Amino acid sequence: MKRSREKAASELFAALYPRLAGWCRRLVDDDETAHELASEAFTRLWARWTAVEEPQGFLYVTTANLVRDHWRKLERERRAVRRVATEAELGPRSEPADPSVRLLVQSLPERLRVPILLHYYADMPVREVALLTGRKEGTVKADLHAARELLRAHLRRSLDHTS
């Protein structure tokens, strides 16, 4: 049984991997990434081999989802680069406030700092922050709220001392 399962998987890989990797290559325009995505799809198929009725369909749907996730990641990276470039262009005008906010964020406990950095600085949705940190979405939302309250209170105190 195990031997026939391995043989069937091996034959499927030999038959479909080149086409799947080629399809990915056209979508992501990078050989290495295309092979990584196609390999990941096969890895996921292998993990669910006995439960998947239509392996080829599973592979293409899984690969399409992996490509979509790849594109989203690239877009987040582009936004972050644009944001950094824009901040650099603004230069000294935004500089006085920025270090203090950055220092405040850095002073937060790690439990609160990580969600703030991922959500606000890396522009990730709460759902993605939850996945990356291994926390529930509600916990991430509560941590973001607690961090904002701490930052707000600290900024209020700072403003009260300057006036």
Side-chain angles (χ1 to χ4, degrees):
M1 173 84 172
K2 185 178 179 186
R3 191 60 142 170
S4 64
R5 174 184 165 203
E6 288 176 3
K7 185 175 187 229
S10 179
E11 289 172 357
L12 184 71
F13 183 85
L16 291 181
Y17 183 82
R19 285 183 38 220
L20 190 64
W23 181 61
C24 284
R25 171 69 175 87
R26 286 188 301 279
L27 295 172
V28 298
D29 199 31
D30 177 65
D31 282 334
E32 186 176 338
T33 303
H35 285 285
E36 286 175 14
L37 297 175
S39 296
E40 176 64 20
F42 271 96
T43 300
R44 291 181 184 191
L45 172 63
W46 180 251
R48 295 165 187 79
W49 185 258
T50 56
V52 174
E53 290 184 32
E54 179 49 53
Q56 184 171 349
F58 178 90
L59 285 169
Y60 276 90
V61 169
T62 300
T63 304
N65 290 335
L66 291 168
V67 167
R68 184 196 63 225
D69 292 345
H70 171 76
W71 286 341
R72 286 178 177 165
K73 179 183 173 203
L74 286 179
E75 183 54 34
R76 280 192 309 274
E77 289 170 355
R78 284 186 195 113
R79 281 195 308 258
V81 167
R82 280 195 301 266
R83 188 170 43 250
V84 168
T86 301
E87 289 172 5
E89 288 173 12
L90 294 176
R93 286 181 282 165
S94 63
E95 194 66 330
D98 190 42
S100 62
V101 172
R102 191 176 307 136
L103 289 173
L104 284 176
V105 170
Q106 288 174 350
S107 72
L108 290 171
E110 184 177 354
R111 168 182 79 79
L112 302 177
R113 183 177 62 246
V114 170
I116 286 285
L117 291 173
L118 292 174
H119 185 66
Y120 291 106
Y121 286 81
D123 203 28
M124 291 184 184
V126 169
R127 180 176 48 91
E128 206 166 323
V129 173
L131 287 172
L132 285 173
T133 60
R135 300 177 189 162
K136 294 181 178 178
E137 286 185 42
T139 303
V140 170
K141 289 177 184 178
D143 289 345
L144 288 170
H145 176 74
R148 285 191 305 267
E149 289 301 314
L150 278 173
L151 293 171
R152 188 176 292 121
H154 195 303
L155 288 170
R156 228 180 251 129
R157 281 194 305 274
S158 295
L159 289 174
D160 289 345
H161 290 291
T162 59
S163 22

